[in-house]
Amino acid sequence: MKWLVSAFIICFSVLHAQDYDIVRKNYQKAVSDKKICKEMLKHFENKSNTGLDLAYQGAFQAVWAKHAIDPFEKLTTFRKGKKNLDKAVKQNPNLIETRFLRYSIQKESPAFLGYKSNIDEDKMLLNRNIKDVDDIILKQMIIDILKS
């Protein structure tokens, strides 16, 4: 029985890691691909409101503001994304992936939206901890955003 529980945990962990690989790849594409962004928003609609799921939900919401046509929808969805990203960072301030997401949104958001206050703090954390990132996709995304 013990081995069955262990096998289940291992399988779940592998599937969960693969799920985030897809999410990370889609995050890179979402800025230029409205369809992918919308699919990812739907994907996170029914996920937990905590941790990395909440951070990705917030990041995709903020990116969706770029695709929305209606100015009110742009602002509303961006604010939701901002709120979710900040909440995710507050829940786990040392999670590098959450900080990366917030940094990437703040770095790319227009100044008039007033969402730039954590750029230096997040950039320092990313630079200090990038050596500890094991995921190849995530590590490359962080390197790319820090270079740009």
Side-chain angles (χ1 to χ4, degrees), residues 6-142:
S6 295
F8 176 76
I9 291 170
I10 290 169
C11 286
F12 179 76
S13 296
V14 168
L15 290 174
H16 193 63
Q18 289 174 340
D19 184 43
Y20 277 112
D21 283 348
I22 293 167
V23 170
R24 289 177 188 119
K25 288 176 185 175
N26 283 339
Y27 182 65
Q28 292 175 299
K29 297 174 186 175
V31 173
S32 59
D33 192 324
K34 184 177 182 176
K35 183 179 175 189
I36 287 176
C37 190
K38 190 169 193 163
E39 287 172 8
M40 295 311 300
L41 284 170
K42 285 182 182 179
H43 173 78
F44 283 102
E45 211 169 68
N46 299 319
K47 294 279 187 173
S48 70
N49 281 341
T50 58
L52 198 50
D53 286 345
L54 182 61
Y56 270 107
Q57 181 182 26
F60 282 111
Q61 287 168 326
V63 170
W64 181 256
K66 180 180 184 213
H67 298 297
I69 296 168
D70 180 295
F72 181 73
E73 181 185 1
K74 283 180 174 288
L75 188 57
T76 302
T77 192
F78 185 83
R79 285 182 177 162
K80 282 182 194 174
K82 174 184 166 183
K83 180 181 171 188
N84 286 335
L85 274 168
D86 288 341
K87 184 177 176 184
V89 170
K90 191 173 184 178
Q91 288 174 359
N92 191 348
N94 296 318
L95 186 60
I96 193 166
E97 192 159 2
T98 303
R99 291 296 194 102
F100 156 73
L101 291 169
R102 183 172 73 178
Y103 176 75
S104 67
I105 295 299
Q106 287 191 359
K107 187 169 190 239
E108 299 300 324
S109 68
F112 72 86
L113 291 172
Y115 193 47
K116 303 274 189 189
S117 59
N118 306 103
I119 287 180
D120 293 335
E121 165 193 345
D122 289 348
K123 185 176 184 177
M124 269 193 331
L125 185 130
L126 293 171
N127 278 315
R128 256 193 339 258
N129 295 297
I130 194 165
K131 66 188 178 307
D132 300 325
V133 176
D134 294 327
D135 186 89
I136 295 167
I137 297 169
L138 176 60
K139 191 171 206 165
Q140 191 58 54
M141 289 168 54
I142 294 170

